[in-house]
Amino acid sequence: MPDVLIIGAGPAGLAAARAARRVGAAVTLLDASDELGGQYWRHLPASRPAERENLLHHGWSTFTALRAELEADTGCTIVRGANVWAIETREGRPGAVFVVVGEPDGANREQRVFEPDALVIATGAYDRTLPFPGWELPGVFTAGAAQALAKGERVAIGSRVLVAGAGPFLLPVAASLAATGSTVVGVYEANRVKALMAGWLPKPWQVLRAAKKGGELGGYVLNHLQHRIPYRLGTAVVRAEGTDRVESVTLASVDALWAPIPGTERTVAVDAVCVGHGFTPRLELAIAAGCALDGDDFVGVDEQQQTSIPSVYAAGEITGIGGVDAALAEGEIAGHVAAGGSVLDAALRPAVAHRRTYRSFGRRIEDAHGVRAGWRGWLTDDTVVCRCEEVTYGALRGAATATGGESLRSIKLASRAGLGICQGRVCGRTVEDVLDSLSPGHSDGPRSAAEDRVRTDRRPIALPLRLGELADEPTLS
Amino acid sequence: MSPFLLPASSDPIRPAGGGAGGGGGIRIEVDGLAVDGLAGQTIAGVLLGSGTLAWRTTSKNARPRGVFCGIGVCYDCLVVVNGQRDVRACQRRAADGDAVSTQYDVLPVVAEGPGDAPTATSAPHAEGDARA
Ligand SMILES: Cc1cc2nc3c(=O)[nH]c(=O)nc-3n(C[C@H](O)[C@H](O)[C@H](O)COP(=O)(O)OP(=O)(O)OC[C@H]3O[C@@H](n4cnc5c(N)ncnc54)[C@H](O)[C@@H]3O)c2cc1C
Ligand code: FES
């Protein structure tokens, strides 16, 4: 009976745990959070349960059923507050997995090491927010932050909130804000109708109908959304204004490549704005485990959800942005195969079919909403690009010129962009884009065939730790 | 014109124990001032819920920051909790009686002239904290 270790208890990890248990493996499920559900099913904590939590979620009963089954199952060990910070690379099988267990950023946390027979990595994704002048002002949030605070705290980021960026995710964010008492002044999608039509739906607002079918939003929010909140296409936030906090944002019409069109600017008073231009996979652990990335910088997997390392599987948003249903299907397949089942087993047929459907849906979304190069048109020389080290676009370009734009490493060392405490999680892809655009032939570029090309997702330690914790002897679990 | 906590009494999802007079109230101290919150809220949740938008001060430009990503990725929300530095306020749940102070790590002042070691008024991540 194999030991299967699963990292991440979002939709993908939960589905993997259940499937692996059904095949009969001993399962350990780790998550950094003290609540299960991941980003999608983020909810009020156990100390503050809500009677009608289901109103805020799609498929809430799917989640509660998964959680109940796993919590009741003695063959499934759930470790909450488990921060995985390193995985060894081992040829041909999973390496040791290093974990600190305890309060977030706490001291003297318990150290544990796991040596599983099979590993499923389901670490999900986080918002990618492109920089714009003023995005470092308090009151500017990622779209995911607005969502996480609304769902996980019932805190509204402001009373007059503007939602902007790209992708269908902006709509549930607007809905959650409305359900948390904010007035949403508008949802602004950078892409135009033509791109959306080519990519996904003849009418983007049909997503609202799909949401209605799920019935989770509650009639009044839906009403509010459909009737009161403007949804505008081909429009982007190009600037946020304010002294010590955001007071207004400037919108501009953008062309098909997201370049702002001169003369179309208008300013809107807000007390908060949330912006998201898609998602970035949390790749560091998969990279540490030795898993090869695909051409789009997601974890590459085969039909069995196996990565380039035998017995190491990946599922959910780290393998591509496909939404919750893709994550559930992939997780189920990964868990089933990791536990010794076959992808051809009859029990997996529905999951395999779902994966096909939702992956292609995900691809259409990416085609329709993916980041377009013209966004750099709203940057100014003094726009902060790296928030941690406060490196501006001008400084970054200067560093690229000074170093001859040869490699990501040199531009980072010269400018300090991406070297701050978030380890380039927020600005990494942006710094890569800027360098790729300034000098397309550089040694870490998208066209470089170098196996060891440096991308910003390569981080030696996946979570910042305290020195004392590194020195402690871990216990083998 | 600030972030706010939706009162339980007007919340369509009907959370338990919320609101003034309800159960589950906690009190923390932020830079010496008492701030009320609810059990289970993160420190960022308590701060935002009380209308505070920013608390950290950046090292280079001394600019205010608060929550940006909300999910533990960006490190903009760092605070000192009971003497422990560099705690992500959006990740740490507030405990009754927590003493929170806002964080401002001044950049090291590099002395003029060759050979002089840099000095720091308050070096980031001092006291044995390593950030890789
Ligand atoms: C803030 C946010 C809110 C979102 N809200 C919605 C929404 O409302 N609707 C929607 O359609 N989509 C939403 N999404 C998109 C969402 O990512 C997917 O729909 C879905 O959650 C993906 O599932 P997953 O299982 O792949 O990953 P996730 O749900 O992201 O789960 C990954 C889990 O891995 C854990 N983890 C990561 N790294 C480590 C580590 N080193 N150690 C231990 N644990 C770790 C995390 O704590 C997390 O629980 C949101 C995304 C974000 C970032
Ligand atoms: S707000 Fe990003 S880490 Fe807390």
Side-chain angles (χ1 to χ4, degrees):
Chain A
M1 177 143 322
D3 269 330
V4 177
L5 183 72
I6 297 165
I7 306 173
L14 290 168
R18 178 167 63 186
R21 281 300 297 143
R22 287 186 175 171
V23 179
V27 168
T28 305
L29 176 61
L30 308 177
D31 200 288
S33 171
D34 56 2
E35 293 283 345
L36 306 181
Q39 305 306 348
Y40 191 79
W41 285 312
R42 185 179 287 271
H43 53 279
L44 282 174
S47 54
R48 224 176 125 203
E51 257 174 66
R52 303 176 66 196
E53 184 69 57
N54 61 309
L55 285 184
L56 290 180
H57 303 266
H58 246 307
W60 180 246
S61 59
T62 305
F63 168 65
T64 50
L66 270 166
R67 180 176 61 184
E69 181 171 337
L70 294 173
E71 282 181 338
D73 181 349
T74 50
C76 177
T77 308
I78 301 174
V79 189
R80 294 170 167 86
N83 296 271
V84 181
W85 61 274
I87 303 183
E88 281 177 353
T89 307
R90 226 174 256 173
E91 280 298 313
R93 55 164 300 200
V97 176
F98 295 83
V99 185
V100 287
V101 184
E103 273 195 316
D105 304 323
N108 308 317
R109 290 175 289 182
E110 183 197 358
Q111 297 238 31
R112 295 179 68 177
V113 182
F114 295 86
E115 302 234 30
D117 301 314
L119 178 63
V120 179
I121 306 178
T123 46
Y126 56 90
D127 288 80
R128 174 158 186 209
T129 298
L130 299 171
F132 52 87
W135 75 314
E136 73 282 14
L137 285 170
V140 179
F141 298 82
T142 67
Q147 182 75 329
L149 288 163
K151 282 185 175 179
E153 304 263 358
R154 303 305 287 138
V155 162
I157 58 170
S159 10
R160 270 180 65 80
V161 184
L162 187 141
V163 180
F169 179 51
L170 302 180
L171 294 164
V173 171
S176 294
L177 280 164
T180 312
S182 298
T183 300
V184 179
V185 300
V187 179
Y188 296 90
E189 158 73 49
N191 289 296
R192 310 179 133 221
V193 176
K194 214 167 150 199
L196 296 189
M197 281 179 69
W200 78 301
L201 292 168
K203 291 183 182 149
W205 44 92
Q206 281 181 358
V207 77
L208 291 176
R209 264 169 233 156
K212 193 171 189 173
K213 230 169 64 193
E216 85 296 358
L217 288 176
Y220 87 98
V221 175
L222 198 65
N223 241 349
H224 190 71
L225 261 182
Q226 277 176 324
H227 300 303
R228 309 232 183 90
I229 303 181
Y231 181 58
R232 295 273 147 70
L233 302 171
T235 309
V237 167
V238 296
R239 192 163 62 239
E241 294 99 2
T243 7
D244 283 336
R245 55 163 301 158
V246 66
E247 284 156 20
S248 60
V249 294
T250 297
L251 296 164
S253 302
V254 295
D255 68 17
L257 289 176
W258 296 14
I261 300 169
T264 61
E265 293 190 351
R266 58 219 183 263
T267 299
V268 184
V270 294
D271 62 354
V273 54
C274 65
V275 186
H277 299 96
F279 292 98
T280 305
R282 284 204 194 200
L283 292 177
E284 49 273 86
L285 291 177
I287 291 175
C291 305
L293 303 187
D294 65 16
D296 299 320
D297 281 338
F298 287 96
V299 180
V301 289
D302 63 15
E303 282 300 294
Q304 315 186 75
Q305 298 297 130
Q306 184 171 278
T307 67
S308 59
I309 305 284
S311 300
V312 178
Y313 302 81
E317 306 277 78
I318 60 163
T319 67
I321 304 305
V324 64
D325 295 306
L328 285 167
E330 292 170 1
E332 183 177 345
I333 296 165
H336 182 93
V337 179
S342 158
V343 73
L344 302 173
D345 290 344
L348 271 195
R349 250 178 243 146
V352 169
H354 281 147
R355 177 176 61 184
R356 199 177 309 120
T357 309
Y358 294 115
R359 267 276 156 256
S360 75
F361 178 74
R363 259 190 303 277
R364 294 213 311 277
I365 300 271
E366 178 55 29
D367 289 347
H369 295 278
V371 171
R372 307 284 194 270
W375 71 269
R376 287 190 297 270
W378 66 61
L379 293 176
T380 58
D381 267 355
D382 53 11
T383 307
V384 169
V385 170
C386 167
R387 300 170 61 93
C388 299
E389 297 287 311
E390 304 178 272
V391 180
T392 62
Y393 183 52
L396 194 58
R397 283 201 309 188
T401 313
T403 60
E406 270 170 17
S407 72
L408 196 55
R409 195 193 305 268
S410 58
I411 191 179
K412 281 169 66 182
L413 286 174
S415 67
R416 295 206 50 76
L419 297 179
I421 191 167
C422 90
Q423 300 179 296
R425 285 178 173 83
V426 177
C427 72
R429 295 264 157 120
T430 298
V431 173
E432 286 169 10
D433 274 7
V434 168
L435 182 59
D436 294 351
S437 74
L438 293 174
S439 100
H442 73 93
S443 61
D444 303 313
R447 281 174 237 160
S448 160
E451 276 270 298
D452 61 344
R453 73 196 174 105
V454 178
R455 300 306 275 184
T456 48
D457 299 305
R458 218 171 270 280
R459 301 184 180 95
I461 294 186
L463 292 161
L465 294 170
R466 307 208 181 248
L467 200 56
E469 290 177 324
L470 273 178
D472 287 345
E473 268 310 300
T475 47
L476 187 64
S477 306
Chain B
M1 295 291 278
S2 296
F4 59 89
L5 173 73
L6 183 66
S9 53
S10 44
D11 193 333
I13 76 163
R14 297 194 199 136
I26 59 167
R27 175 166 289 184
I28 64 173
E29 212 176 77
V30 180
D31 289 339
L33 295 176
V35 182
D36 290 329
L38 300 171
Q41 278 190 297
T42 61
I43 290 172
V46 173
L47 286 164
L48 291 166
S50 72
T52 308
L53 200 52
W55 43 88
R56 189 170 70 89
T57 305
T58 64
S59 299
K60 193 172 151 200
N61 299 336
R63 301 291 297 147
R65 294 278 173 88
V67 164
F68 179 62
C69 76
I71 60 164
V73 171
C74 74
Y75 291 80
D76 255 355
C77 64
L78 296 181
V79 286
V80 183
V81 183
N82 303 325
Q84 180 108 51
R85 304 166 41 76
D86 296 333
V87 175
R88 286 166 294 172
C90 71
Q91 297 296 290
R92 175 69 72 88
R93 296 213 194 267
D96 194 38
D98 271 347
V100 175
S101 49
T102 52
Q103 205 164 316
Y104 175 24
D105 300 315
V106 180
L107 280 184
V109 180
V110 181
E112 293 291 316
D116 284 344
T119 56
T121 36
S122 159
H125 323 313
E127 298 139 41
D129 289 355
R131 301 284 167 166

